[in-house]
Amino acid sequence: MKSANKNAAGPALLSGDCQAQSATQAVWRFLNNPNVSLVDLIAPLREVGQKAARESESQYVLLAHDWCKIDYKSHSSKRDLRQITHEHDVGYEMSTSLLIDAATGGAIAPMQMHLKTSSKVHSTAEKKPRRNAHRLDELTPTMNESDQWGLERKIVHVIDREADTLGRMRQWDAQGHQFLVRCDDRRVKWNGRSILLSEIGEHFDCEVLFESGGDALYRGTPVSQQVAETEVVLYRPHSEVIDGEKTSVPGRPLTVRLVVTRLIDQDGYVVAQWTLLTNVFDSAISAYQIALWYYWRWLIETYFKLLKSHGIELEQWQQQTGEAIARRVLVASMACVVVFRLQNDESE
């Protein structure tokens, strides 16, 4: 199990093990055992999520969804590598759904994982995604499945602007899922007229409608956070691929909550700004809380960082199949959960 990276933390062999060879052989047998299912390996992680959700002070939990590439271009022993972009960009594609405490912003545990190889998808889902399915097509089945995880809280699915697609937002809303998506500029209806989201943001600024949301850090520098919100209607047709052709499809108007959040430096300049859309209409959840929920989405990037470069060294692993890698990712995720719990524990 020793990492190829000499800087990786931890001993090469646990105390009590007599021979590195026997320990390595035991690990190999476990990771290549067809009787070890990914559904079984995700179960302890979901149990952690269930317990933490029940103990949360919020009636909501956040489920952040994201994707990352695992680079194995130098691993000639792996025969199921996937060409991701160009011919020299090869490896696996992993998607993860990370549970986050909506009250404290503490990362809890990964609850779903898909690992795409050139030949198949290794997944913790009840129904695996198709190998060539678009990554956004993985979201709706996971959303549906998450309702069966026993979290006993309302789930808000937090996704970066890759999910800024009107057709999918209509679908999620119709199925009763709550979402929070970062969006690009688009035309909406506001106060009975068609207008761009950027123009609404300019209106907020001109009319001094931004309210203080407290202090924050931006790239290590103290800044102040400001938020403004309103309701808008997504009314335009959306695009779908039907019989291989991109087609414009009309849909029902969707009323959503627009939250614009920005960071102001000490000289009064805007250093960052995000435009968010959500169908969470709860008077107890302020615009600042919505902005904070999106900010906490970055915890899934921290999870990927833990796996790939800050201790677990995923891209150095020598297992020869995506299936073995997927099993080891779930075992390693249990170590990440221990790190999360240490980070969230404020006791001595």
Side-chain angles (χ1 to χ4, degrees):
M1 293 290 285
K2 181 176 179 180
S3 170
N5 188 325
K6 295 179 180 179
N7 293 325
L13 191 62
L14 296 177
S15 59
D17 287 328
C18 297
Q19 295 182 3
Q21 183 178 357
S22 62
T24 302
Q25 184 69 15
V27 170
W28 185 91
R29 287 173 176 164
F30 178 80
L31 296 178
N32 290 279
N33 185 345
N35 294 320
V36 178
S37 77
L38 299 185
V39 175
D40 290 336
L41 288 177
I42 197 72
L45 296 169
R46 289 180 179 168
E47 288 174 7
V48 170
Q50 291 163 0
K51 184 175 184 295
R54 287 194 296 267
E55 295 174 351
S56 174
E57 296 179 0
S58 174
Q59 62 176 319
Y60 293 90
V61 289
L62 311 178
L63 197 62
H65 305 272
D66 207 354
W67 301 263
C68 76
K69 178 187 75 173
I70 307 174
D71 187 350
Y72 283 133
K73 61 177 175 289
S74 61
H75 291 226
S76 58
S77 63
K78 293 179 173 63
R79 301 301 182 187
D80 57 354
L81 295 178
R82 182 183 182 91
Q83 182 176 321
I84 299 172
T85 53
H86 53 81
E87 60 178 327
H88 300 296
D89 183 21
V90 295
Y92 301 133
E93 289 181 279
M94 183 174 71
S95 59
T96 302
S97 301
L98 180 70
L99 192 68
I100 299 170
D101 190 323
T104 65
I108 298 172
M111 304 291 283
Q112 186 85 291
M113 183 203 72
H114 310 301
L115 188 77
K116 285 186 178 181
T117 70
S118 62
S119 57
K120 63 186 302 185
V121 178
H122 304 285
S123 174
T124 60
E126 294 179 359
K127 185 178 181 181
K128 297 179 183 178
R130 291 180 291 107
R131 180 171 59 87
N132 292 319
H134 190 279
R135 56 178 56 177
L136 290 179
D137 291 333
E138 302 168 0
L139 288 180
T140 302
T142 293
M143 290 178 177
N144 294 336
E145 200 174 306
S146 66
D147 292 335
Q148 311 302 318
W149 290 343
L151 298 178
E152 300 180 8
R153 293 291 186 273
K154 298 176 184 177
I155 303 172
V156 179
H157 300 273
V158 186
I159 321 159
D160 207 8
R161 57 184 170 189
E162 186 171 11
D164 179 23
T165 60
L166 177 53
R168 287 185 170 86
M169 285 190 278
R170 279 176 170 147
Q171 179 188 44
W172 300 335
D173 184 77
Q175 294 179 349
H177 300 304
Q178 294 185 298
F179 60 82
L180 171 58
V181 174
R182 179 184 174 189
C183 66
D184 293 318
D185 202 11
R186 65 162 64 236
R187 189 164 290 278
V188 299
K189 278 189 178 178
W190 181 58
N191 293 337
R193 63 191 181 102
S194 178
I195 189 172
L196 291 172
L197 292 178
S198 57
E199 295 176 303
I200 299 177
E202 292 171 1
H203 172 81
F204 288 159
D205 193 28
C206 292
E207 299 298 322
V208 196
L209 298 178
F210 280 98
E211 298 179 354
S212 175
D215 297 327
L217 286 177
Y218 178 71
R219 297 179 178 176
T221 302
V223 293
S224 60
Q225 185 174 14
Q226 297 180 347
V227 295
E229 71 167 315
T230 189
E231 288 185 15
V232 298
V233 178
L234 306 178
Y235 71 97
R236 306 185 78 185
H238 62 267
S239 297
E240 288 184 14
V241 177
I242 301 176
D243 296 330
E245 294 186 2
K246 193 173 184 180
T247 307
S248 180
V249 179
R252 66 180 179 87
L254 177 61
T255 301
V256 293
R257 193 172 173 184
L258 167 68
V259 175
V260 181
T261 177
R262 64 185 188 180
L263 302 179
I264 310 295
D265 67 13
Q266 295 178 341
D267 296 322
Y269 290 101
V270 177
V271 295
Q273 181 167 307
W274 297 276
T275 305
L276 310 174
L277 297 177
T278 181
N279 63 345
V280 177
F281 286 97
D282 185 338
S283 59
I285 305 299
S286 66
Y288 171 69
Q289 188 67 52
I290 295 293
L292 202 56
W293 282 355
Y294 177 77
Y295 173 74
W296 289 338
R297 190 206 71 85
W298 287 98
L299 288 168
I300 198 169
E301 307 290 353
T302 302
Y303 166 70
F304 291 148
K305 195 173 184 179
L306 272 174
L307 282 178
K308 294 175 69 172
S309 62
H310 278 56
I312 298 180
E313 308 300 331
L314 167 58
E315 292 178 333
Q316 304 292 335
W317 291 358
Q318 300 300 310
Q319 282 70 40
Q320 296 182 357
T321 66
E323 188 171 15
I325 292 289
R327 292 191 181 108
R328 190 173 171 185
V329 164
L330 293 176
V331 175
S333 295
M334 299 175 192
C336 293
V337 167
V338 174
V339 173
F340 295 154
R341 294 178 71 173
L342 288 171
Q343 288 178 322
N344 298 336
D345 192 337
E346 298 180 353
S347 68
E348 293 184 5

